[in-house]
Amino acid sequence: MSGKFQLKKASNGQFHFNLLAGNGQVVLSSEQYQAHASALNGIESVRKNAVRDGAFEIRQASNGKHYFVLKATNGQVVGQSQMYTSASSAQQGCDSVRRHAPDATLQDESTTTA
């Protein structure tokens, strides 16, 4: 199964998206965007940067858990993962984004109520 981007509108009127793996699990979440078009640009940035060398950075949170961020070429974070118990699990999450993001379909739910 391939992945998909799920685009939604938050209760504050802003837009955000998640990248779901083939099993439906969230592997990457975006920041919130004021405009629908900006969120779509964010999705395209994830597609493009997911396959770029050096785009992923694994970090450790203050609670000892690990997560990763996906950065654009300008260094801006375009997506962040959930928390993982180990750095190796976070690396597997990066690999999942690399596999799923380029060809993921778009499910735009932003026209429905948040």
Side-chain angles (χ1 to χ4, degrees), residues 19-83:
L19 173 62
L20 308 179
N23 63 4
Q25 185 172 359
V26 174
V27 291
L28 184 84
S29 297
S30 74
E31 63 181 6
Q32 290 195 343
Y33 298 91
Q34 290 187 359
H36 184 264
S38 298
L40 292 175
N41 287 340
I43 289 171
E44 288 310 308
S45 182
V46 170
R47 289 184 201 276
K48 181 173 58 174
N49 288 293
V51 296
R52 186 175 58 79
D53 287 340
F56 290 95
E57 182 180 304
I58 295 177
R59 299 179 177 175
Q60 188 171 13
S62 59
N63 65 2
K65 294 193 175 193
H66 295 81
Y67 66 100
F68 65 84
V69 294
L70 174 63
K71 293 183 174 184
T73 53
N74 64 2
Q76 183 179 358
V77 173
V78 293
Q80 180 174 313
S81 72
Q82 309 300 315
M83 292 293 172

Side-chain angles (χ1 to χ4, degrees), residues 2 6 17 23-24 33 37 50 53-54 65 83 85-86 91 95 113:
S2 64
Q6 194 173 51
F17 61 85
N23 63 4
Y33 298 91
D53 287 340
K65 294 193 175 193
M83 292 293 172
T85 56
S86 68
Q91 183 60 56
D95 295 341
T113 305

